[in-house]
Amino acid sequence: MCNGPAAVYISGMGVECCGDQPSSDPHRGNPAYRRVLWAVLAINAGMFMVEIGAGLAAGSASLQADALDFLGDAGNYAISLFVVGMALRNRALAALAKGGTMGVFGLWVIGSVVWHAVHGTLPNAFTMGAVGLAALVANAASFGLLWAYRGGDANMRSAWICTRNDVLGNLAVLLAAAGVFGTGTGWPDIIVAAIMAGLALQGATLVIRQSLGELRQPDPIAVHR
Protein backbone atom coordinates (compact mmCIF):
# COMPACT_ATOMS: atom_id res chain seq x y z
CA MET A 1 0.00 0.00 0.00
CA CYS A 2 1.32 3.45 -0.91
CA ASN A 3 1.82 5.87 1.95
CA GLY A 4 2.62 8.96 -0.05
CA PRO A 5 4.91 9.97 -2.87
CA ALA A 6 8.00 8.99 -0.88
CA ALA A 7 7.03 5.28 -0.82
CA VAL A 8 8.98 3.15 -3.28
CA TYR A 9 8.91 -0.51 -4.12
CA ILE A 10 12.01 -2.50 -4.97
CA SER A 11 11.58 -5.63 -7.03
CA GLY A 12 13.30 -7.70 -9.66
CA MET A 13 11.63 -5.53 -12.29
CA GLY A 14 13.39 -2.44 -11.01
CA VAL A 15 12.59 0.36 -8.60
CA GLU A 16 9.10 1.78 -8.84
CA CYS A 17 8.05 5.01 -7.17
CA CYS A 18 4.40 4.98 -6.29
CA GLY A 19 2.59 7.34 -8.63
CA ASP A 20 5.77 8.25 -10.50
CA GLN A 21 6.95 5.07 -12.27
CA PRO A 22 4.93 2.72 -14.49
CA SER A 23 3.66 -0.48 -12.93
CA SER A 24 5.44 -3.76 -13.72
CA ASP A 25 2.06 -4.80 -15.15
CA PRO A 26 1.56 -2.44 -18.11
CA HIS A 27 -2.06 -3.56 -18.51
CA ARG A 28 -3.16 -3.09 -14.90
CA GLY A 29 -6.70 -1.74 -15.10
CA ASN A 30 -6.59 -1.72 -18.93
CA PRO A 31 -10.22 -2.26 -20.05
CA ALA A 32 -9.14 -2.92 -23.65
CA TYR A 33 -7.03 -5.91 -22.59
CA ARG A 34 -9.94 -7.29 -20.55
CA ARG A 35 -12.27 -6.95 -23.54
CA VAL A 36 -9.76 -8.84 -25.70
CA LEU A 37 -9.57 -11.65 -23.14
CA TRP A 38 -13.37 -11.89 -22.95
CA ALA A 39 -13.55 -12.07 -26.75
CA VAL A 40 -10.97 -14.85 -27.12
CA LEU A 41 -12.55 -16.71 -24.18
CA ALA A 42 -15.90 -16.75 -25.99
CA ILE A 43 -14.27 -17.81 -29.28
CA ASN A 44 -12.43 -20.73 -27.68
CA ALA A 45 -15.39 -21.95 -25.62
CA GLY A 46 -17.62 -21.92 -28.70
CA MET A 47 -15.10 -23.74 -30.88
CA PHE A 48 -14.60 -26.42 -28.22
CA MET A 49 -18.29 -27.33 -28.44
CA VAL A 50 -18.14 -27.47 -32.24
CA GLU A 51 -14.88 -29.41 -32.52
CA ILE A 52 -15.41 -32.00 -29.81
CA GLY A 53 -18.64 -33.14 -31.47
CA ALA A 54 -17.13 -33.12 -34.93
CA GLY A 55 -13.97 -34.88 -33.78
CA LEU A 56 -15.88 -37.72 -32.15
CA ALA A 57 -18.21 -38.06 -35.13
CA ALA A 58 -15.34 -38.07 -37.64
CA GLY A 59 -13.06 -40.33 -35.58
CA SER A 60 -10.23 -37.81 -35.89
CA ALA A 61 -7.47 -37.75 -33.27
CA SER A 62 -6.26 -34.34 -34.39
CA LEU A 63 -9.74 -32.77 -34.20
CA GLN A 64 -10.35 -34.20 -30.74
CA ALA A 65 -6.94 -32.97 -29.60
CA ASP A 66 -7.64 -29.54 -31.04
CA ALA A 67 -11.04 -29.47 -29.29
CA LEU A 68 -9.43 -30.17 -25.92
CA ASP A 69 -6.87 -27.48 -26.74
CA PHE A 70 -9.73 -25.00 -27.26
CA LEU A 71 -11.16 -26.03 -23.88
CA GLY A 72 -7.79 -25.59 -22.19
CA ASP A 73 -7.31 -22.19 -23.82
CA ALA A 74 -10.75 -21.06 -22.67
CA GLY A 75 -9.76 -21.95 -19.12
CA ASN A 76 -6.43 -20.19 -19.54
CA TYR A 77 -8.07 -16.98 -20.73
CA ALA A 78 -10.48 -17.15 -17.80
CA ILE A 79 -7.49 -17.36 -15.44
CA SER A 80 -5.86 -14.44 -17.24
CA LEU A 81 -8.99 -12.36 -16.72
CA PHE A 82 -8.91 -13.18 -13.01
CA VAL A 83 -5.26 -12.27 -12.40
CA VAL A 84 -4.76 -9.28 -14.76
CA GLY A 85 -3.81 -6.28 -12.63
CA MET A 86 -2.64 -8.43 -9.71
CA ALA A 87 0.90 -8.50 -8.35
CA LEU A 88 3.62 -10.01 -10.54
CA ARG A 89 3.92 -13.08 -8.28
CA ASN A 90 0.21 -13.90 -8.63
CA ARG A 91 0.38 -13.51 -12.40
CA ALA A 92 3.49 -15.69 -12.53
CA LEU A 93 1.76 -18.40 -10.48
CA ALA A 94 -1.19 -18.35 -12.89
CA ALA A 95 1.19 -18.62 -15.83
CA LEU A 96 2.94 -21.56 -14.16
CA ALA A 97 -0.40 -23.33 -13.80
CA LYS A 98 -1.22 -22.64 -17.44
CA GLY A 99 2.17 -23.92 -18.55
CA GLY A 100 1.51 -27.11 -16.61
CA THR A 101 -1.86 -27.62 -18.32
CA MET A 102 -0.23 -27.11 -21.72
CA GLY A 103 2.29 -29.81 -20.84
CA VAL A 104 -0.43 -32.21 -19.66
CA PHE A 105 -2.30 -31.61 -22.92
CA GLY A 106 0.81 -32.52 -24.89
CA LEU A 107 1.22 -35.77 -22.97
CA TRP A 108 -2.47 -36.62 -23.43
CA VAL A 109 -2.17 -36.16 -27.19
CA ILE A 110 0.84 -38.47 -27.29
CA GLY A 111 -1.28 -41.16 -25.63
CA SER A 112 -4.07 -40.54 -28.15
CA VAL A 113 -1.61 -40.84 -31.03
CA VAL A 114 -0.47 -44.25 -29.77
CA TRP A 115 -4.06 -45.47 -29.39
CA HIS A 116 -5.11 -44.45 -32.92
CA ALA A 117 -1.90 -45.86 -34.41
CA VAL A 118 -2.53 -49.23 -32.77
CA HIS A 119 -6.19 -49.39 -33.82
CA GLY A 120 -5.62 -48.00 -37.33
CA THR A 121 -8.63 -45.63 -37.28
CA LEU A 122 -9.65 -43.84 -40.51
CA PRO A 123 -11.15 -40.37 -39.88
CA ASN A 124 -13.60 -38.54 -42.16
CA ALA A 125 -11.45 -36.23 -44.28
CA PHE A 126 -14.31 -33.90 -45.29
CA THR A 127 -15.33 -33.24 -41.68
CA MET A 128 -11.71 -32.70 -40.70
CA GLY A 129 -11.24 -30.12 -43.45
CA ALA A 130 -14.46 -28.20 -42.83
CA VAL A 131 -14.09 -28.01 -39.06
CA GLY A 132 -10.35 -27.40 -39.31
CA LEU A 133 -11.00 -24.39 -41.54
CA ALA A 134 -13.55 -22.97 -39.10
CA ALA A 135 -11.08 -23.47 -36.24
CA LEU A 136 -8.36 -21.71 -38.23
CA VAL A 137 -10.57 -18.67 -38.76
CA ALA A 138 -11.47 -18.58 -35.06
CA ASN A 139 -7.86 -18.84 -33.94
CA ALA A 140 -6.65 -16.32 -36.51
CA ALA A 141 -9.13 -13.83 -35.03
CA SER A 142 -7.86 -14.56 -31.51
CA PHE A 143 -4.25 -14.30 -32.72
CA GLY A 144 -4.91 -10.85 -34.15
CA LEU A 145 -6.63 -9.66 -30.98
CA LEU A 146 -3.75 -10.83 -28.75
CA TRP A 147 -0.89 -9.68 -31.02
CA ALA A 148 -0.41 -6.35 -29.23
CA TYR A 149 0.05 -8.16 -25.89
CA ARG A 150 2.54 -10.84 -26.97
CA GLY A 151 5.55 -9.20 -25.27
CA GLY A 152 4.15 -8.83 -21.75
CA ASP A 153 4.77 -10.89 -18.60
CA ALA A 154 4.58 -14.68 -18.46
CA ASN A 155 0.83 -14.64 -17.94
CA MET A 156 0.20 -12.48 -21.01
CA ARG A 157 2.80 -14.29 -23.08
CA SER A 158 1.25 -17.66 -22.26
CA ALA A 159 -2.11 -16.50 -23.67
CA TRP A 160 -0.46 -15.44 -26.92
CA ILE A 161 1.64 -18.62 -27.17
CA CYS A 162 -1.49 -20.76 -26.77
CA THR A 163 -3.16 -18.97 -29.69
CA ARG A 164 0.00 -19.07 -31.83
CA ASN A 165 0.20 -22.83 -31.33
CA ASP A 166 -3.47 -23.18 -32.21
CA VAL A 167 -3.06 -21.40 -35.56
CA LEU A 168 -0.16 -23.68 -36.47
CA GLY A 169 -2.12 -26.70 -35.31
CA ASN A 170 -5.14 -25.75 -37.42
CA LEU A 171 -2.99 -25.46 -40.54
CA ALA A 172 -1.62 -28.92 -39.78
CA VAL A 173 -5.17 -30.31 -39.37
CA LEU A 174 -6.05 -29.02 -42.84
CA LEU A 175 -2.95 -30.71 -44.25
CA ALA A 176 -3.93 -33.90 -42.44
CA ALA A 177 -7.42 -33.79 -43.95
CA ALA A 178 -5.88 -33.53 -47.42
CA GLY A 179 -3.50 -36.36 -46.56
CA VAL A 180 -6.26 -38.64 -45.29
CA PHE A 181 -8.32 -37.96 -48.42
CA GLY A 182 -5.36 -38.58 -50.71
CA THR A 183 -3.92 -41.67 -49.04
CA GLY A 184 -7.02 -43.33 -47.63
CA THR A 185 -5.21 -43.96 -44.34
CA GLY A 186 -5.29 -42.36 -40.90
CA TRP A 187 -1.56 -41.76 -40.69
CA PRO A 188 -1.70 -38.06 -41.69
CA ASP A 189 -4.17 -37.48 -38.85
CA ILE A 190 -1.88 -39.31 -36.41
CA ILE A 191 1.16 -37.34 -37.56
CA VAL A 192 -0.65 -34.02 -37.08
CA ALA A 193 -1.75 -35.03 -33.60
CA ALA A 194 1.89 -35.78 -32.76
CA ILE A 195 2.92 -32.35 -34.09
CA MET A 196 0.29 -30.70 -31.90
CA ALA A 197 1.68 -32.56 -28.90
CA GLY A 198 5.14 -31.21 -29.69
CA LEU A 199 3.80 -27.65 -29.98
CA ALA A 200 2.04 -27.97 -26.63
CA LEU A 201 5.17 -29.26 -24.89
CA GLN A 202 7.37 -26.58 -26.48
CA GLY A 203 4.95 -23.82 -25.48
CA ALA A 204 4.67 -25.22 -21.97
CA THR A 205 8.45 -25.14 -21.62
CA LEU A 206 8.63 -21.47 -22.66
CA VAL A 207 5.85 -20.38 -20.31
CA ILE A 208 7.09 -22.39 -17.31
CA ARG A 209 10.65 -21.10 -17.77
CA GLN A 210 9.54 -17.46 -17.79
CA SER A 211 7.07 -17.85 -14.93
CA LEU A 212 9.68 -19.56 -12.74
CA GLY A 213 12.07 -16.72 -13.50
CA GLU A 214 9.47 -14.20 -12.34
CA LEU A 215 8.74 -16.23 -9.21
CA ARG A 216 12.44 -16.20 -8.30
CA GLN A 217 12.38 -12.42 -8.19
CA PRO A 218 12.15 -11.01 -4.63
CA ASP A 219 8.79 -9.85 -3.36
CA PRO A 220 8.31 -6.07 -3.46
CA ILE A 221 9.64 -4.37 -0.31
CA ALA A 222 8.19 -1.06 0.76
CA VAL A 223 10.78 1.50 1.82
CA HIS A 224 9.58 4.52 3.72
CA ARG A 225 11.38 7.69 4.58
Side-chain angles (χ1 to χ4, degrees):
M1 180 176 180
C2 301
N3 292 324
V8 297
Y9 291 87
I10 303 172
S11 71
M13 299 295 290
V15 179
E16 303 172 7
C17 300
C18 185
D20 297 328
Q21 299 294 329
S23 169
S24 60
D25 177 7
H27 299 287
R28 184 183 298 275
N30 183 349
Y33 182 50
R34 288 184 177 275
R35 286 195 295 269
V36 165
L37 287 177
W38 276 114
V40 295
L41 171 59
I43 289 171
N44 280 267
M47 281 307 304
F48 164 72
M49 298 299 294
V50 171
E51 244 188 345
I52 191 64
L56 291 172
S60 169
S62 58
L63 280 183
Q64 292 176 47
D66 203 33
L68 288 181
D69 194 24
F70 271 117
L71 179 62
D73 288 349
N76 288 338
Y77 297 134
I79 293 174
S80 294
L81 275 167
F82 179 73
V83 301
V84 66
M86 289 186 176
L88 177 64
R89 180 175 181 81
N90 292 333
R91 287 179 279 128
L93 285 171
L96 183 61
K98 289 192 288 184
T101 61
M102 291 167 66
V104 170
F105 162 73
L107 295 176
W108 180 89
V109 175
I110 289 174
S112 178
V113 165
V114 173
W115 190 92
H116 282 277
V118 170
H119 289 80
T121 56
L122 178 63
N124 185 297
F126 177 79
T127 301
M128 287 178 62
V131 177
L133 181 60
L136 176 61
V137 172
N139 277 318
S142 298
F143 184 87
L145 289 169
L146 290 167
W147 176 262
Y149 307 101
R150 67 191 185 281
D153 60 25
N155 179 59
M156 294 168 59
R157 190 183 184 198
S158 66
W160 181 76
I161 287 175
C162 284
T163 305
R164 180 207 65 181
N165 288 353
D166 292 346
V167 171
L168 296 175
N170 295 148
L171 290 172
V173 168
L174 292 177
L175 290 175
V180 169
F181 179 80
T183 65
T185 71
W187 282 107
D189 182 58
I190 291 172
I191 292 171
V192 164
I195 291 173
M196 294 173 70
L199 287 172
L201 293 174
Q202 184 260 356
T205 300
L206 290 175
V207 172
I208 290 172
R209 182 184 299 129
Q210 182 173 349
S211 59
L212 288 175
E214 292 173 357
L215 286 171
R216 282 194 290 267
Q217 296 175 9
D219 291 333
I221 301 173
V223 181
H224 307 283
R225 286 183 179 175

